[in-house]
Amino acid sequence: MFVGLMIAQPAGYLLLVLYVSLRYGRENYALFLVEKEKNRSRKLYDFEVRPETVIHVRNQIGDSLKEQGCSERQINETMLLFEEFFMLVYEKNPERKVLAECAVEAGETIHLITRDDGVTLDLTDEDQNVQSLRAYVLANLIATYTSRKAHFLTLSYNRNAFEVR
């Protein structure tokens, strides 16, 4: 009797794995995300925030989005948002080496997830004081081009996420 109780749990789990694998496919086990994520493409860019590297990475993002078949409007908005954001980071951190990364996920919408180790810069706060023309332009770009935005402060890194419609 006790042997049956010990074997029941692993046997039940194996039956569940077998059923899900046969019914939905092995790649869908256990989160069922394959169909949702099949049409999304992800790229990660690491760079030092300087004007020439920002422009270079911006062009790489544009080329990548063109290859994935995104609309010209989405590509231009994403490139402009990326460039203005990181040039503002560069402007806010004079004479300091700032390292950054940017993840770009493309599908129906484009998700731009940025992280840098510069001074704290929360662009999602609508009540912030605008201290430069670039910050004003970027705040308007974010309000116009993005449907969702978020700012996370994690272990001295600024992390911002934008969804370009």
Side-chain angles (χ1 to χ4, degrees):
M1 180 167 150
F2 291 111
V3 174
L5 289 174
M6 290 176 18
I7 294 176
Q9 288 179 343
Y13 179 73
L14 290 175
L15 285 173
L16 176 68
V17 169
L18 182 64
Y19 172 74
V20 170
S21 296
L22 291 174
R23 172 104 160 92
Y24 299 104
R26 186 172 178 87
E27 66 275 356
N28 261 325
Y29 189 79
L31 297 177
F32 303 102
L33 296 176
V34 171
E35 289 302 317
K36 293 180 182 177
E37 297 295 319
K38 196 177 276 186
N39 296 330
R40 293 195 71 78
S41 172
R42 294 178 183 87
K43 298 275 185 172
L44 179 66
Y45 303 92
D46 295 318
F47 56 97
E48 180 183 342
V49 179
R50 294 179 315 196
E52 54 275 359
T53 56
V54 168
I55 300 300
H56 178 70
V57 172
R58 180 205 63 188
N59 293 338
Q60 286 181 330
I61 290 172
D63 294 341
S64 173
L65 293 174
K66 280 180 190 170
E67 289 173 8
Q68 295 163 24
C70 294
S71 70
E72 282 294 320
R73 181 191 57 79
Q74 278 184 317
I75 294 170
N76 290 335
E77 290 173 359
T78 303
M79 290 172 61
L80 184 59
L81 187 64
F82 174 86
E83 180 182 356
E84 289 300 322
F85 176 78
F86 280 108
M87 292 307 286
L88 182 63
V89 169
Y90 179 75
E91 181 182 290
K92 295 284 185 182
N93 295 282
E95 300 178 18
R96 182 173 175 205
K97 182 179 178 180
V98 178
L99 300 176
E101 71 179 26
C102 180
V104 180
E105 295 182 4
E108 291 179 19
T109 60
I110 298 173
H111 294 157
L112 194 66
I113 304 165
T114 65
R115 190 172 84 169
D116 66 84
D117 63 353
V119 297
T120 303
L121 182 62
D122 182 5
L123 298 171
T124 61
D125 183 12
E126 295 176 0
D127 296 328
Q128 71 178 339
N129 291 332
V130 177
Q131 299 175 352
S132 70
L133 180 61
R134 177 166 273 132
Y136 175 75
V137 168
L138 185 58
N140 285 322
L141 289 175
I142 290 170
T144 305
Y145 294 158
T146 63
S147 55
R148 294 190 315 186
K149 57 189 178 252
H151 173 78
F152 309 101
L153 184 61
T154 55
L155 298 175
S156 75
Y157 286 105
N158 290 313
R159 203 156 104 187
N160 292 283
F162 307 104
E163 182 180 72
V164 179
R165 300 171 247 192

